[in-house]
């Protein structure tokens, strides 16, 4: 590496690590790492990603330094690192799959989070007592915090904790997928801001004709597991896969909406449409529920009703 490249890798690595320590910044901390790929070879992005990964692991271990002899600490560290590690590996995959079909790049980018989810699940299945201890520790934290704001008995708090825990574990991979899509879209939109064909290509995004079989199979299994017990971890895995596949069709639905608007002569950028949809989802009660359902449904329906000709 030349001096300028080393300097930029160092600056972007530090910027990414600092962003990862803040609540809002943690959603976009891989963006500085991706920016390196615009000017330098892939090795620069890889180096920066590995550097931030090492720093993130080091920070987690440093924060837990007083109880490192406790084996449960490493389970807590693994839980805390699931999303940042998934995002870092996803960024590396995105850079290395440049030139590949956008749909395949999306799937490959979210694949590391799927593998990490399986690894964590295997660890908890192999160490059930330790896993239960971790859950109990999270339960104690939750009940102590909620008791300060809500006047409810322990049974109610335990029930709400169980519901929230299952919900969070069921959307772990979908959350990573959403973050990857947003960050990678921001990066690509910025990199192609002078490319008039970028939004045209975006409006043509498709998951392909065969992907519908995976989507339908996942929802079929979702229905079956309402009557047949697959086990707790299998249920969570099915939820994550099904919701992630549904989000893929939400992306296709977004592309169809963009295509329809541009076809009417409105040269709206995909970034502006995305911003408008997010504002509508977060700020307009009622409308947000319609959009959340309508986008994936639109993407799915195109398998039988061609909306883009």
């Amino acid at each position: 590496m030349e001096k300028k490249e080393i300097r930029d890798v160092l600056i972007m690595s530090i910027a990414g690590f600092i962003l990862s320590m803040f609540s809002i910044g943690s959603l976009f901390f891989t963006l500085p790492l991706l920016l390196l790929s615009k000017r330098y070879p892939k090795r620069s992005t890889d180096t920066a990603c590995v550097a931030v990964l090492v720093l993130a692991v080091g920070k987690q271990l440093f924060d837990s330094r007083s109880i490192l002899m406790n084996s449960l600490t490493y389970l807590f560290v693994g839980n805390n690192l699931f999303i940042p590690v998934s995002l870092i590996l996803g960024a590396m995959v995105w850079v290395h799959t440049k030139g590949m079909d956008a749909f395949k790049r999306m799937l490959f980018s979210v694949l590391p989070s799927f593998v990490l989810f399986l690894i964590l699940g295997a660890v908890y299945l192999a160490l059930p007592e330790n896993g239960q201890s971790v859950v109990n520790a999270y339960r104690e934290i939750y009940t102590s915090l909620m008791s300060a704001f809500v006047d409810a008995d322990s049974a109610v708090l335990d029930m709400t904790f169980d519901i929230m825990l299952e919900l969070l574990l069921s959307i772990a991979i979908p959350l990573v997928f959403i973050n990857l899509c947003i960050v990678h879209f921001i990066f690509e939109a910025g990199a192609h801001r002078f490319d008039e064909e970028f939004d045209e290509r975006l409006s043509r995004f498709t998951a392909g004709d065969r992907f519908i079989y995976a989507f339908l199979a996942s929802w079929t299994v979702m229905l079956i597991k309402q009557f047949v017990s697959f086990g707790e971890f299998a249920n969570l895995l099915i939820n994550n896969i099904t919701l992630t596949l549904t989000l893929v069709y939400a992306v296709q639905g977004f592309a169809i909406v963009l295509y329809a608007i541009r076809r009417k002569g409105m040269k709206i950028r995909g970034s502006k449409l995305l911003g408008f949809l997010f504002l509508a989802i977060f700020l307009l009660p009622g409308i947000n529920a319609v959009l959340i359902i309508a986008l994936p449904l639109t993407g799915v329906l195109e398998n039988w009703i061609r909306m883009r000709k």
Side-chain angles (χ1 to χ4, degrees):
M1 290 187 183
E2 298 180 355
K3 289 185 178 180
K4 188 174 184 302
E5 184 177 353
I6 295 175
R7 183 200 65 189
D8 289 346
V9 168
L10 182 62
I11 291 174
M12 291 304 186
S13 299
I14 295 173
F17 176 65
I18 292 175
L19 284 174
S20 70
M21 294 189 294
F22 299 95
S23 56
I24 299 298
S26 63
L27 301 176
F28 305 99
F29 79 97
T30 57
L31 194 55
L33 311 179
L34 289 168
L35 292 174
L36 289 168
S37 65
K38 291 179 59 179
R39 182 176 297 181
Y40 302 113
K42 297 174 183 177
R43 66 185 181 190
S44 298
T45 302
D46 291 342
T47 302
C49 286
V50 171
V52 174
L53 179 60
V54 171
L55 290 171
V57 173
K59 180 181 180 300
Q60 286 293 328
L61 293 175
F62 179 79
D63 292 340
S64 307
R65 62 190 181 281
S66 61
I67 52 174
L68 280 180
M69 295 306 293
N70 188 340
S71 60
L72 298 181
T73 301
Y74 297 101
L75 291 177
F76 282 108
V77 170
N79 294 338
N80 294 335
L81 287 173
F82 172 75
I83 288 183
V85 171
S86 296
L87 298 180
I88 290 172
L89 295 178
M92 295 175 69
V93 171
W94 186 261
V95 170
H96 279 271
T97 54
K98 183 179 181 180
M100 189 180 292
D101 178 73
F103 167 64
K104 292 180 180 179
R105 294 182 78 185
M106 285 173 51
L107 293 186
F108 282 130
S109 294
V110 78
L111 184 59
S113 64
F114 177 76
V115 174
L116 289 174
F117 190 86
L118 290 177
I119 293 174
L120 282 174
V123 171
Y124 277 95
L125 288 175
L127 304 170
E129 293 183 359
N130 289 6
Q132 188 59 49
S133 298
V134 170
V135 172
N136 292 336
Y138 282 125
R139 188 188 303 275
E140 291 179 7
I141 295 172
Y142 173 81
T143 53
S144 62
L145 289 174
M146 293 302 295
S147 297
F149 301 98
V150 180
D151 185 15
D153 57 37
S154 59
V156 173
L157 292 177
D158 284 342
M159 182 182 67
T160 56
F161 171 80
D162 291 335
I163 293 173
M164 291 187 64
L165 179 63
E166 183 175 359
L167 175 62
L168 289 173
L169 292 176
S170 295
I171 62 174
I173 298 176
L175 285 176
V176 171
F177 179 82
I178 291 173
N179 189 288
L180 289 172
C181 286
I182 293 174
V183 171
H184 294 168
F185 174 75
I186 292 173
F187 168 69
E188 294 295 339
H192 297 88
R193 61 186 179 277
F194 301 119
D195 183 0
E196 295 294 333
E197 299 298 322
F198 174 73
D199 288 292
E200 180 64 27
R201 295 194 299 272
L202 176 62
S203 68
R204 296 284 183 179
F205 172 85
T206 180
D209 295 332
R210 296 182 179 180
F211 188 72
I212 189 63
Y213 298 115
F215 172 80
L216 294 175
S218 67
W219 275 104
T220 300
V221 176
M222 280 282 284
L223 292 174
I224 293 174
K225 78 181 183 70
Q226 304 305 314
F227 308 98
V228 179
S229 177
F230 288 94
E232 185 175 356
F233 179 69
N235 283 335
L236 294 174
L237 187 60
I238 293 168
N239 292 342
N240 275 275
I241 294 174
T242 303
L243 292 175
T244 302
L245 298 184
T246 302
L247 286 172
V248 171
Y249 277 111
V251 175
Q252 181 164 306
F254 170 80
I256 293 171
V257 172
L258 179 62
Y259 174 86
I261 294 175
R262 291 176 63 85
R263 189 181 181 187
K264 292 183 180 297
M266 298 175 60
K267 297 298 182 182
I268 186 173
R269 299 295 302 239
S271 54
K272 291 183 178 180
L273 177 60
L274 181 64
F276 171 78
L277 289 176
F278 265 98
L279 287 175
I281 288 173
F282 287 107
L283 300 179
L284 299 177
I287 299 296
N288 51 11
V290 173
L291 289 174
I292 290 172
I293 296 173
L295 284 177
L297 182 60
T298 301
V300 171
L301 287 177
E302 202 192 29
N303 287 276
W304 298 281
I305 305 172
R306 293 300 177 185
M307 304 178 189
R308 294 175 290 183
K309 299 179 181 179

